Amino acid sequence: TGLLPVRDPETSRPFLWLPDLVRALLVLLERRRSAPPGLTVYHLVSFNSNLGAVASAVAARTGARVSTRDHDPADDALGFSLDGRLFASTFSFEPEGDLAS
């Protein structure tokens, strides 16, 4: 129970589930000798969502009430998302975390 204040619930963000991070690190350690040569930037993300959906999922699990502040839609923060497909395809990795996790 309690109150979960959320500002700009439509703002998008990438989320990384801790067990996905651990699994990805283990994959990297296991395959370090067969990894592609050179430097590559990989995005590791379990899922992309907006803050309002995450707050609603947290509230459903905890019994908290979500409180969003009224604001002018012109002030909406769009946020960002990440594409984790390169890491997934390079290392045969499928994230397991999602909004229900």
Side-chain angles (χ1 to χ4, degrees):
T1 63
L3 182 65
L4 184 58
V6 178
R7 182 175 175 188
D8 299 325
E10 66 288 325
T11 301
S12 297
R13 290 285 185 267
F15 292 89
L16 178 59
W17 195 43
L18 189 56
D20 282 343
L21 172 60
V22 171
R23 287 179 41 249
L25 291 173
L26 291 173
V27 165
L28 290 172
L29 290 172
E30 291 168 0
R31 300 183 188 171
R32 64 183 175 271
R33 296 191 201 289
S34 62
L39 300 175
T40 304
V41 174
Y42 296 99
H43 295 296
L44 186 58
V45 59
S46 298
F47 64 95
N48 292 289
S49 186
N50 65 56
L51 299 180
V54 172
S56 293
V58 169
R61 291 184 121 187
T62 64
R65 185 172 55 87
V66 176
S67 170
T68 56
R69 193 174 65 121
D70 288 336
H71 65 283
D72 184 347
D75 295 333
D76 283 353
L78 298 178
F80 63 98
S81 62
L82 294 177
D83 185 347
R85 289 180 293 184
L86 180 59
F87 185 86
S89 64
T90 302
F91 296 101
S92 301
F93 183 83
E94 193 65 39
E96 295 175 355
D98 58 22
L99 199 52
S101 301

